[in-house]
Amino acid sequence: FSRQKLKSDLVFGFIGRLHPSKGLSQLLDALNQLDSGNFSILIAGDGDGKYVETLQLTVNDKKHITFSGWTSPDEFFPNIDVLIVPSLWHDPLPRVVYESYNYGKPVIGSNRGGIPESIVEGETGWIYDPDNPEQLLSIINTILTNPEQLRSMNDRCIRKANDFSLENCVTQYIDAYKGAIDAEQ
């Protein structure tokens, strides 16, 4: 799969399990409300065949939406500009957010679970309420009208990825354990 196949200026992406709790049907409904523009969305992942078929049937023909099936992060992230994480459930910390940062890609994430704690609004991405699809549409329209803002976010995303590095996580665990031990003494 390559970006050239998408033939658009901006590529939004979703990668993960295709399941109702991930908010894909709401995302596709929102995208179908947008006027035609020079954007596309790449949806990578697997799920229940009937659910995936239902999702594909909701796609408006004028939109550039591609379902690629299972795709590795190394194949997926270089082909998108912005990741969308439209989760409806309170996902504690979806790994896909910091994977996106590793590739310098900002994230549009729902305000569910640990997602908003991982996004610095306006610096590494945007947060919206999935119960209010107008917020998602507003964010997408802002990006479409001002795509140059993404370039300035790329470096910030890569720096933010360091927060989730193995070394940093281990250090935080050790500090937490030391703090708990010191509190006991």
Side-chain angles (χ1 to χ4, degrees):
F1 190 85
S2 71
R3 186 176 179 111
Q4 288 76 26
K5 291 181 184 178
L6 296 171
K7 296 180 182 161
S8 64
D9 288 339
L10 284 172
V11 180
F12 298 91
F14 171 92
I15 186 171
R17 186 169 55 108
L18 306 185
H19 186 271
S21 66
K22 297 293 187 173
L24 277 169
S25 61
Q26 289 83 346
L27 172 60
L28 293 176
D29 288 344
L31 291 171
N32 280 328
Q33 293 177 42
L34 289 172
D35 293 330
S36 61
N38 201 13
F39 75 94
S40 59
I41 183 162
L42 175 59
I43 298 174
D46 290 326
D48 174 72
K50 289 185 182 202
Y51 178 67
V52 174
E53 185 178 317
T54 301
L55 288 174
Q56 290 171 333
L57 290 173
T58 65
V59 173
N60 187 329
D61 287 339
K62 69 179 180 176
K63 303 300 178 223
H64 305 286
I65 299 173
T66 303
F67 287 81
S68 66
W70 186 91
T71 306
S72 75
D74 286 336
E75 294 175 64
F76 175 78
F77 285 107
N79 290 301
I80 69 165
D81 297 299
V82 179
L83 179 73
I84 302 177
V85 183
S87 292
L88 300 177
W89 79 290
H90 293 276
D91 195 339
L93 180 62
R95 183 178 66 215
V96 70
V97 173
Y98 56 88
E99 283 179 329
S100 187
Y101 293 157
N102 278 323
Y103 290 88
K105 308 299 179 172
V107 177
I108 301 171
S110 71
N111 65 355
R112 299 293 195 261
I115 297 168
E117 295 173 27
S118 304
I119 297 171
V120 179
E121 183 76 33
E123 292 185 26
T124 63
W126 303 265
I127 302 164
Y128 76 99
D129 182 351
D131 293 330
N132 185 349
E134 293 301 316
Q135 288 180 356
L136 176 59
L137 288 172
S138 176
I139 292 167
I140 291 172
N141 277 320
T142 298
I143 294 167
L144 290 172
T145 58
N146 190 11
E148 58 277 357
Q149 70 183 315
L150 298 177
R151 283 187 285 284
S152 67
M153 297 176 93
N154 297 133
D155 288 337
R156 286 183 241 151
C157 290
I158 291 170
R159 284 192 304 273
K160 180 71 173 166
N162 187 53
D163 290 353
F164 303 99
S165 71
L166 179 60
E167 180 180 309
N168 197 7
C169 290
V170 169
T171 299
Q172 289 178 30
Y173 272 111
I174 290 170
D175 290 346
Y177 288 132
K178 285 180 182 177
I181 290 169
D182 290 345
E184 287 289 318
Q185 296 175 359

